[in-house]
Amino acid sequence: MSNRKRSEFPRVLFVTSEVTPFSKTGGLADISGALPKALSRLGCDVRVLSPLYGCVDGERHALAVSANGAQPSLTINGRALHAEFARAPRRDSEPDFCFLRCDALYDRPGIYVDPFSNQDYVDNDYRFIALAKCAFDLCRSDHWTPDVLQCNDWQAGLVPLYLSQRRRRGEFAESRAVMTVHNMAYHGWFKADTVARIGDAEALYFPGGPIEFYGMVNFLKAGLEFADGLSTVSPTYAHEIQSSYDFGFGLETVLRGSPRPLQGILNGIDTEVWNPETDPRIAANFGIGTLPWKVENKRALCAKAGFEFNAGVPVFAVISRIVGQKGFEILAPLITEILSLPAQFVILGSGDPYYEHMFHELARVYPDRFAVKLAYDEDLAHLIEAGSDMFLMPSKFEPCGLNQMMSMRYGTIPIVRVTGGLADTVIDADTDLLHGTGFRFYDYTSGELMHAVERAVSAYQDADRWRRIQRNAMSQDFSWDRSARQYLQLYQECLSQPPRVA
Ligand code: ADP
């Protein structure tokens, strides 16, 4: 009997384009930092592979280049690139965090986007072809064969394709690939000349073929077509992305036609990093039993924002990439109305210059009530979660969303649109008076959002009621352990089936 069938806890290679605390643009990094740890705690042998970008602080994380073992082999336009694997020191029963170092591809100030031009790097196709190819080089170098290759988003979308090529050559016969969609809005589209860079893929590129999509090469489609198992990050999003173009962006038909059902497994949060009782980045630690101490964080946040502290005035917060998905088009027209409730408002994020400019202007006009930091700032993100009263997520779509869970853990009440993971994690406090954890609205309009804001403010004015909602929110279990068990089950299902033939 093979190892694969014997093993209750599979060996997992987790391929990801960002991983906290090394590199991060959004939720994928949080998940790549926390899910492998949770799988390791369950007993899996997990290796995480990610690129070594210029922003990764190799010294701080004590990364060391693997002294022995085969090096990855990469060529571009016939030119060999110098590449090697670096690793973080491994602690007992923790995953092995490995990095693909190839300075010609990754040693740049941005992760996907050039911060100077605000455009995607022009060689993003090759940067993530390289990541997918080198996943197999890492295994060879380590003399280690994973049972499961866990592929995350389009950047790892070619891993299942390469696995199928290897299987045809009799390698990795017992391994299975699981493709997880963290955000269906990003497909990894490239011009047709990318086909030649992929290698042995010409026969797959034809109208309607497994890597073709409207005359372009589509890495996410490749992943969905070749993977042995499919998942996404919440049950509601799993339903949404199969249901309509608005969520699937054209790949809904691929999902619906797949012989492997798409599973929706809700993300967790890292409850060690996001723990108000121990968080070193906030002004005062607190928990359910010491909820009154939360106010010290509000005081510190107001001081930082330049607001006068007023316990009776709610502080609203947003921490987000400033992109269309996050609902700024329905939120922005309301901000002055919210400020006149009265309320104070802090925004942390960066992205679309149109909204960046608008927020900058609002901060100039209402310095006592509105503050914005157009940056990526983890320390401030923790203080905002701890110090604000309400957290706004009016997303047009939201695969899972992490901030609503982080907010609830810090007794900060989320106001969310009912979509994706927001629908799966927040209970409306007006609909369920006993168990409510936040405020929900359905229609993607400013009017509906404002109505939810007014309901939240009315609850806030009733101190006993607000405390109850905060306690409900803080008692939710958003730890990774439950979700990791579901991933394990998905892996076991894939391992018990023959490999998928695309
Ligand atoms: P997405 O992955 O779509 O950006 P998520 O809610 O899943 O959204 O995850 C966002 C993560 O990124 C959270 O951990 C959030 O706190 C963090 N984040 C987003 N913008 C910033 C910022 N400007 N500064 C610090 N953290 C940020």
Side-chain angles (χ1 to χ4, degrees), residues 4 123 154 205 320 331 364 396 413 498:
R4 172 171 70 76
D123 57 348
W154 72 262
Y205 188 75
S320 177
L331 173 62
R364 202 170 55 79
K396 192 168 195 175
I413 300 309

Side-chain angles (χ1 to χ4, degrees), residues 143-221:
H143 306 289
W144 180 83
T145 307
D147 299 301
V148 174
L149 292 107
Q150 164 70 56
C151 315
N152 299 286
D153 274 349
W154 72 262
Q155 293 89 344
L158 295 185
V159 173
L161 186 159
Y162 288 137
L163 177 62
S164 79
Q165 291 179 345
R166 299 252 173 186
R167 280 191 203 131
R168 275 206 305 276
R169 300 204 296 261
E171 301 168 34
F172 291 87
E174 305 293 313
S175 303
R176 301 289 180 266
V178 168
M179 185 74 221
T180 298
V181 179
H182 297 264
N183 194 329
M184 195 69 156
Y186 301 95
H187 285 194
W189 275 5
F190 300 99
K191 284 198 261 173
D193 58 6
T194 293
V195 177
R197 296 184 183 166
I198 293 174
D200 293 334
E202 283 75 9
L204 305 171
Y205 188 75
F206 55 89
I211 64 171
E212 193 274 352
F213 191 73
Y214 292 97
M216 307 277 279
V217 179
N218 186 312
F219 283 19
L220 182 57
K221 184 178 180 189

Side-chain angles (χ1 to χ4, degrees), residues 24-31 182-183 186 267 274 319-323 325-326 348-350 373-382 385 391 393 398-404 406:
K24 176 167 169 176
T25 68
L28 174 60
D30 292 292
I31 293 150
H182 297 264
N183 194 329
Y186 301 95
N267 286 333
W274 295 96
I319 303 171
S320 177
R321 293 182 295 122
I322 303 179
V323 292
Q325 167 200 341
K326 300 292 182 178
L348 169 63
S350 60
K373 182 157 184 192
L374 300 172
Y376 186 86
D377 185 335
E378 295 226 1
D379 289 343
L380 183 57
H382 283 249
E385 290 292 9
F391 196 96
M393 291 182 81
E398 192 62 73
C400 178
L402 298 176
N403 275 118
Q404 80 281 14
M406 293 161 179

